[in-house]
Amino acid sequence: MAYDADVIVIGAGLAGLAATAELVDAGRKVVLLDQEPPQSLGGQAHWSFGGLFFVNSPEQRRMRIKDSHDLALQDWLGAAGFDRAEDHWPRRWAEAYVDFAAGEKRAWLHRQGVRFFPVVGWAERGGYDATGHGNSVPRFHITWGTGPGLLAPFARRVRAGAARGLVDLRFRHRVTALCGAAGTVDTVGGEILDRSEVARGRPSGRDVVGSFELRAQAVIVTSGGIGGNHELVRRNWPARLGRAPERMVAGVPAHVDGLMLGVTEAAGGRLINGDRMWHYTEGLHNWNPIWEGHGIRVLPGPSSLWLDARGNRLPVPLFPGFDTLGTLEHLMDTGHEHSWFVLNRRVIGKEFTLSGSEQNPDLTGRSVRGVIDRARADVPAPVRAFMDHGEDFVVEHDLAALVRGMNALTGEPLIDETDLRRVITARDREVANPFTKDSQITAIRGARSFLGDRLIRTVAPHPILDPKAGPLIAVRLSVLTRKSLGGLETDLSSRVLTESGEPLGGVYAAGEAAGFGGGGVHGYRSLEGTFLGGCLFSGRTAGRAAARATG
C-alpha cells in the first residue's frame, strides 16, 4: 500500500509547526492533522505572553545581568529535582535544552525575524538556597509580538511548504488510533469532525461526519497536554500537592484534552511522570471569556501581600512570583481553594501584568507608543478592565469596607477585620528603614536593585495602608490549570520509547505531549519561559530526526 506522505504530524500547535517546518526544509512530504478548525492554527501558543528562557543573552548583558550556562543548569537541576529512574531521558533533555538556550536558540529565532522586548523579566525567583528552586537571575524574555509574533515565522514556513505541495493541512481530523505491524507504526486513523467557523479558542463542536486512514513512514505526536480536561487533571493530581481542587479556572481551551496521549500509549508508547504538572495559584475569572471557564493568570511583582482564605499571611518564601508549586502545595493544605492578594492602586498600577497575548495589546501589536502609554498609565487598561468588570476584585477606600467586600465575594465571613489590620500594620511598620527583618520587604528591595524591576515591575516599599497610595484592592485568586510536565518518554532524537526502553518504530513526540522532551524535561518544577522554548526545541528535534529517517 502506498504512503500518503513521508511523515504525519498530529497537532498544529507550535511544536507541530516547528517539526513540520524542519521537514519541509528537508524536502519531506507532510500531512499535518489537527482536530480544531484552521482558524486555531498555532494552538495554545497564540494566547501566550511569548516568554522565552535565554541564557547570557544580549538583552541580559545590556541590563548588567551576569548569567552563564553553568548557573542556568544549576538552577534547572535545582528546580527539577530529578529523583526517579525514569528521569534518565528527562535529565538528558534538560542538559540539551540549557545548551540550546545558552547557545543557538536566540540566533536561530532572530534569523527568522523574531525580536524581543529589551527589558528582561524575573519570573519564578525561588527564594531558597543557591542549589534550590528558582531563577538566580532574570531570564524571561518577552517576544515582541507575544505568542502570535513567535508563531508567525513557523506558520509562514509551513504555509510556504503547502504552496510547494509538500504540506497537506487537514483540520477537523481527530486521531483515534495508531496502527502498524512488527512494532512499527505506519497508519493513522480517526474521525473527521464537522466543519466549524467558530472563533479561535471557542468550542468547535464534536459532531463526526466521516472517518479517515492515512499511511506514512513516520508519525510525530505534537498534540499537547491535559490542562483543558479537568477530570484528567484531578485523576493525575499528586498527593504531594494536597487534595485536588474541586473548582479550577481553565488556562487553556477544552480541546487540550490529552486524547492523543492515551492513543499513543495504546499503540505501545510509554507515558511517564503523569503526576508532574504545572498549575498557577494566581488565576482570575476572565470577565470577557473566550472558552468555558476561561482564566487569566496574574504575573505579579513582589509587593502584594499574599493571604490565604482566612487572611493568614503565606509563609516565607511564598511571595508573589517566587515559587508557584510551593504556593499551590501550601494553599491546598489550608482547606480552601482560593487565596487573596491585598494591595493598593500604586502597587497594581506598576506590578500587575496579565498573561496572554490578548491582555497585552501593546506588545502583541508591536506598538512602541502603546508600551510607552502603558508605562505612563496610572493603571494599564487591561488591568483597569478587570478592576472594573472582573468578579474577583474588591476596591474600597478603607479596610473595613474592603473586608466586608471580601467576605461578601466568597459568601463566608472568613476574614476578620481586626486580624487583617494587625497583619497589614505590622508589615507596614517594617518599611520605615532601608533594612528589615521582614523577608518579603527584603526581597522587594533586592528586586529593585535590578534595573528592569525598578523601572517597570516593582514599586518602592511603602505602607499598604498609605491613603495617598489608595484605594485598597483585594484580588481573589483561584487555581488555574495550565501545563502537563510529564508525557511520552522520548530519547534525544524524539523517538517515543516503549515499556522495554526500545523505540516504538516510526513514532516521535514533541512539545507538551512529550513533557517538552524526554517525558518530563522540567522535572517537578519549571523555571518559566521554558514551555514555548520546549515546544520549539523538541519540535525542531523531532522534525529533523524524522527527516533523517524518511524520504
Side-chain angles (χ1 to χ4, degrees):
M1 186 182 297
Y3 290 124
D4 297 285
D6 296 316
V7 181
I8 297 171
V9 178
I10 304 170
L14 182 57
L17 294 178
T20 302
E22 294 297 324
L23 288 160
V24 168
D25 286 354
R28 302 297 182 263
K29 295 192 69 173
V30 183
V31 173
L32 178 55
L33 305 175
D34 198 282
Q35 66 179 349
E36 293 306 297
Q39 52 268 33
S40 288
L41 183 74
Q44 298 175 62
H46 172 86
W47 304 107
S48 74
F49 199 25
L52 291 169
F53 177 97
F54 293 134
V55 179
N56 193 27
S57 69
E59 290 78 15
Q60 287 176 302
R61 294 193 295 272
R62 281 194 289 269
M63 301 202 76
R64 300 180 182 178
I65 299 166
K66 296 180 180 179
D67 201 5
S68 69
H69 174 279
D70 289 348
L71 182 61
L73 184 59
Q74 173 179 295
D75 287 348
W76 193 293
L77 297 179
F82 295 126
D83 61 0
R84 298 173 176 176
E86 55 265 41
D87 283 333
H88 169 74
W89 288 113
R91 181 172 181 132
R92 295 280 303 276
W93 270 90
E95 293 165 350
Y97 184 75
V98 173
D99 290 346
F100 178 59
E104 65 173 312
K105 177 183 177 183
R106 185 186 180 281
W108 175 64
L109 290 169
H110 198 272
R111 286 194 300 271
Q112 298 182 71
V114 181
R115 298 295 183 264
F116 308 100
F117 189 63
V119 179
V120 184
W122 196 353
E124 205 64 15
R125 306 180 190 211
Y128 302 93
D129 63 25
T131 59
H133 171 62
N135 282 297
S136 298
V137 298
R139 296 191 177 104
F140 192 82
H141 297 67
I142 300 170
T143 302
W144 187 235
T146 65
L150 185 60
L151 278 168
F154 298 96
R156 183 170 58 246
R157 290 169 66 189
V158 169
R159 290 191 176 106
R164 292 169 54 195
L166 291 176
V167 179
D168 182 0
L169 290 157
R170 299 196 187 188
F171 298 97
R172 304 300 280 160
H173 281 58
R174 179 169 61 184
V175 175
T176 58
L178 301 178
C179 306
T184 298
V185 170
D186 63 3
T187 304
V188 175
E191 301 164 333
I192 301 174
L193 304 179
D194 196 11
R195 181 183 177 89
S196 175
E197 302 295 338
V198 300
R200 179 192 290 271
R202 295 195 180 278
S204 58
R206 288 296 179 263
D207 291 338
V208 176
V209 297
S211 62
F212 70 92
E213 185 173 283
L214 298 166
R215 296 188 72 242
Q217 298 176 62
V219 175
I220 303 178
V221 179
T222 59
S223 54
I226 67 173
N229 186 337
H230 290 190
E231 180 183 350
L232 200 54
V233 168
R234 294 187 186 94
R235 195 185 310 162
N236 285 278
W237 192 270
R240 66 180 178 276
L241 293 182
R243 62 181 181 85
E246 295 180 11
R247 295 176 299 278
M248 298 179 281
V249 290
V252 295
H255 65 253
V256 186
D257 55 16
L259 173 65
M260 272 307 302
L261 297 177
V263 170
T264 311
E265 184 179 34
R270 186 187 185 203
L271 285 172
I272 61 174
N273 297 318
D275 65 327
R276 292 178 179 171
M277 52 187 66
W278 190 257
H279 307 302
Y280 294 108
T281 50
E282 310 102 322
L284 306 176
H285 295 82
N286 194 345
W287 67 272
N288 187 23
I290 297 169
W291 54 82
E292 185 177 353
H294 187 181
I296 295 294
R297 186 206 173 195
V298 177
L299 297 171
S303 300
S304 296
L305 195 63
W306 205 338
L307 310 172
D308 68 19
R310 292 190 174 277
N312 301 304
R313 196 171 175 185
L314 269 57
V316 176
L318 304 183
F319 312 134
F322 277 65
D323 181 359
T324 293
L325 292 194
T327 305
L328 179 59
E329 179 181 358
H330 174 79
L331 291 174
M332 289 301 97
D333 282 341
T334 65
H336 296 275
E337 297 180 355
H338 70 278
S339 61
W340 294 96
F341 279 165
V342 171
L343 59 159
N344 56 39
R345 187 183 184 92
R346 187 182 298 172
V347 174
I348 203 170
K350 191 166 188 176
E351 296 200 3
F352 262 42
T353 298
L354 301 174
S355 182
S357 56
E358 81 282 15
Q359 299 297 329
N360 295 275
D362 51 346
L363 294 167
T364 301
R366 309 183 196 206
S367 170
V368 174
R369 178 177 294 277
V371 171
I372 293 171
D373 289 346
R374 180 208 289 239
R376 290 175 173 172
D378 186 26
V379 178
V383 177
R384 162 55 67 188
F386 270 83
M387 289 176 63
D388 292 344
H389 307 295
E391 65 181 78
D392 296 305
F393 284 73
V394 180
V395 182
E396 296 288 352
H397 284 277
D398 65 84
L399 188 62
L402 189 78
V403 170
R404 288 195 298 272
M406 294 167 73
N407 287 332
L409 188 58
T410 62
E412 296 181 272
L414 298 177
I415 306 294
D416 180 83
E417 180 195 343
T418 301
D419 291 342
L420 182 55
R421 187 179 299 277
R422 182 168 56 250
V423 168
I424 298 175
T425 301
R427 178 263 181 210
D428 284 356
R429 290 191 185 106
E430 296 291 322
V431 302
N433 295 290
F435 44 84
T436 176
K437 70 178 182 181
D438 189 295
S439 296
Q440 184 174 4
I441 295 171
T442 296
I444 294 167
R445 297 192 191 282
R448 285 177 57 81
S449 68
F450 167 51
L451 178 61
D453 273 358
R454 187 165 70 254
L455 287 175
I456 64 172
R457 286 293 285 158
T458 306
V459 299
H462 65 280
I464 289 176
L465 296 178
D466 181 353
K468 292 180 291 186
L472 294 171
I473 303 165
V475 184
R476 181 182 61 180
L477 306 170
S478 301
V479 176
L480 175 81
T481 63
R482 188 58 63 90
K483 296 297 182 184
S484 310
L485 297 188
L488 293 162
E489 186 177 28
T490 60
D491 64 14
L492 286 180
S493 294
S494 291
R495 297 181 299 179
V496 172
L497 304 180
T498 65
E499 287 292 338
S500 68
E502 295 299 314
L504 176 61
V507 183
Y508 301 77
E512 194 174 351
F516 304 93
V521 67
H522 299 93
Y524 289 95
R525 285 181 167 98
S526 164
L527 289 178
E528 289 288 18
T530 57
F531 298 138
L532 294 172
C535 288
L536 292 172
F537 183 54
S538 60
R540 189 181 83 155
T541 299
R544 292 180 178 183
R548 289 192 299 268
T550 59

